[in-house]
Amino acid sequence: ASVYPTISRGSLKTMAAGTAAFVLLPLIAVANPALPHHVRPAVSLQTSRYGRGRERVSDNLRRAKVFATSKVREAPRITSRSALVSSSVAKSPVTDLPPTLSSVSGSGRRNGLKIFGFDISAYGFLFMARALMYGLFWYLSLVKWLLLSWITKDKIDPDRHLMDRSSLQWARRTLGATGNMPVITGLENLPKEHGGLREDDGVPLMIVANHASWMDVPVIRQITNKCKFLAKKDLASIPILGTSLRWGHHPLVDRSDKRSTVKSFRQGVEWLKRGVSLVTFPEGTRSMDGRLKSPEELKGGAFKMAIYSGARVVPVSISGTFDVMPKSALLPLRAANGLIRIQIHPPISTTPDMSEEELATRTHELIKQGLPSSQHPLE
């Protein structure tokens, strides 16, 4: 510890406890078949430390207390741009980014354990254990459907929706086992093939959502059963997830390469013309403070695809994911327990004479209506 004078002994102990959790919790998750039924009590332990109330903790998971020993401090709420600036000056004179950005949406992120500069909590290791365990079955399922596509030359499943179904199952099981299933409203605006209540009319959809957290990806999968993701090419390098994107022929965008952008645009339009819906986050990247960006900051490619192919745009508002896993976190910091919500808005029909800016503005307004004020853009 003397080599690193800025790291306290207590912080080193906490890091050692986190390392032990990284090794032990996956083993506990696999070896204990009753663990999925006791996820909520374990979450209660974590949420009591994050100001969500105290509940009885299962004896089976009391061992997790040792991994949650870091001291936490309440972060001040930021309600305006001026408060955001003053907070960054007062709390963080050295760095450009204030340490309490996540408090914008009420997540209550604290200065606790960090790994490689990212926030971490004991709950995150439990989430990782579940994600990895179900991820193994996800990968095996992808291999199975790839072999089927290769043997049949894509005649049985030409759009490779069986791979998309495998992704949905992984997301559903992981979120369900860790207390993060979203509360969904507006299903009457979604076709039945995607899990909604509206009759299918064959018109493809461009599902557009705000993007505040990595958790948005598995969360929005719950309403996109037979959809392709319009994703950044960087995601192709992530184990299993990247495999799913590549083998499932999802359009991957490399914004630094103009040819790649044109190629992904053509691929997206081709999917839409074949009747396959797309999902995208037009903000381009996760929000630093959980707030929706302005209409001018939205990427126009998705709206251009919708206009060019005649697809309907379905705005979707996702709230609560930033509270669970802000951009500063390596893994989810806590369970949602009903906090994550999806609101599906009425679809917007497109016409050839409609401009990208008009479509982006209408979509942005609907998404904003479904978000709490803490996630609205700063004026």
Side-chain angles (χ1 to χ4, degrees), residues 50-198:
Y50 287 85
R52 297 281 296 175
R54 299 181 180 275
E55 300 177 16
R56 184 177 63 85
V57 182
S58 170
D59 292 337
N60 192 33
L61 293 175
R62 288 186 183 276
R63 69 193 76 178
K65 283 185 177 181
V66 71
F67 307 131
T69 56
S70 59
K71 296 181 179 180
V72 296
R73 178 172 59 84
E74 184 69 33
R77 178 178 291 274
I78 301 174
T79 56
S80 64
R81 185 177 296 275
S82 59
L84 180 64
V85 175
S86 62
S87 174
S88 64
V89 174
K91 299 297 182 181
S92 183
V94 178
T95 180
D96 293 331
L97 295 177
T100 58
L101 281 176
S102 65
S103 62
V104 171
S105 63
S107 65
R109 178 168 63 88
R110 277 43 171 205
N111 294 334
L113 178 64
K114 289 182 178 291
I115 296 180
F116 304 116
F118 291 96
D119 295 326
I120 199 72
S121 71
Y123 170 79
F125 295 105
L126 177 63
F127 181 92
M128 181 185 64
R130 283 298 171 196
L132 291 177
M133 183 178 68
Y134 292 126
L136 174 62
F137 295 101
W138 181 18
Y139 182 78
L140 293 176
S141 179
L142 291 175
V143 172
K144 176 181 66 176
W145 299 129
L146 179 66
L147 290 176
L148 176 65
S149 298
W150 179 70
I151 293 173
T152 63
K153 297 182 179 180
D154 285 327
K155 292 182 179 179
I156 294 181
D157 184 27
D159 298 330
R160 300 199 172 184
H161 285 317
L162 292 175
M163 292 189 181
D164 301 331
R165 181 71 179 177
S166 298
S167 303
L168 170 62
Q169 292 300 321
W170 171 83
R172 183 169 294 170
R173 290 170 181 171
T174 301
L175 295 179
T178 56
N180 289 297
M181 283 297 289
V183 178
I184 303 174
T185 58
L187 288 174
E188 66 276 4
N189 299 315
L190 198 68
K192 291 182 178 179
E193 69 171 351
H194 300 311
L197 302 176
R198 185 166 58 85

Side-chain angles (χ1 to χ4, degrees), residues 10-45:
S11 298
L12 290 176
K13 289 181 179 179
T14 305
M15 292 175 65
T19 304
F22 182 87
V23 176
L24 293 178
L25 278 176
L27 298 178
I28 296 171
V30 175
N32 188 354
L35 189 58
H37 305 290
H38 299 287
V39 169
R40 187 172 296 276
V43 169
S44 300
L45 167 65

Side-chain angles (χ1 to χ4, degrees), residues 153-368:
K153 297 182 179 180
D154 285 327
K155 292 182 179 179
I156 294 181
D157 184 27
D159 298 330
R160 300 199 172 184
H161 285 317
L162 292 175
M163 292 189 181
D164 301 331
R165 181 71 179 177
S166 298
S167 303
L168 170 62
Q169 292 300 321
W170 171 83
R172 183 169 294 170
R173 290 170 181 171
T174 301
L175 295 179
T178 56
N180 289 297
M181 283 297 289
V183 178
I184 303 174
T185 58
L187 288 174
E188 66 276 4
N189 299 315
L190 198 68
K192 291 182 178 179
E193 69 171 351
H194 300 311
L197 302 176
R198 185 166 58 85
E199 293 295 332
D200 302 331
D201 55 8
V203 179
L205 305 177
M206 175 68 75
I207 300 176
V208 178
N210 59 301
H211 196 17
S213 170
W214 180 88
M215 291 290 288
D216 295 333
V217 178
V219 164
I220 202 172
R221 225 347 162 185
Q222 308 309 307
I223 61 169
T224 55
N225 185 15
K226 293 183 177 181
C227 294
K228 302 296 180 182
F229 275 84
L230 185 62
K232 294 189 297 184
K233 190 176 182 180
D234 299 343
L235 297 179
S237 60
I238 298 179
I240 307 181
L241 174 61
T243 302
S244 173
L245 293 174
R246 294 193 308 271
W247 291 358
H249 295 167
H250 295 251
L252 301 176
V253 183
D254 183 4
R255 296 191 182 93
S256 61
D257 186 353
K258 188 174 181 179
R259 291 185 178 180
S260 174
T261 303
V262 174
K263 180 181 178 181
S264 60
F265 178 86
R266 291 176 177 174
Q267 187 179 5
V269 171
E270 182 181 351
W271 276 126
L272 291 172
K273 289 186 174 181
R274 289 175 59 175
V276 178
S277 300
L278 296 181
V279 186
T280 185
F281 302 105
E283 292 176 280
T285 184
R286 291 167 292 170
S287 170
M288 282 296 300
D289 56 6
R291 294 183 181 273
L292 179 66
K293 294 182 180 180
S294 63
E296 295 76 17
E297 297 179 276
L298 301 184
K299 308 296 182 183
F303 304 108
K304 184 183 292 186
M305 286 184 194
I307 295 173
Y308 190 82
S309 61
R312 294 195 186 106
V313 174
V314 178
V316 175
S317 303
I318 304 177
S319 59
T321 53
F322 185 79
D323 300 324
V324 174
M325 186 178 176
K327 195 171 184 177
S328 62
L330 183 64
L331 294 167
L333 300 178
R334 43 162 289 193
N337 288 338
L339 181 65
I340 297 178
R341 296 181 176 273
I342 296 177
Q343 182 172 345
I344 307 168
H345 300 279
I348 302 173
S349 299
T350 59
T351 57
D353 58 345
M354 181 180 290
S355 65
E356 300 173 31
E357 292 76 14
E358 177 188 355
L359 184 56
T361 301
R362 292 177 59 184
T363 303
H364 181 274
E365 185 61 31
L366 287 175
I367 294 177
K368 179 181 175 181

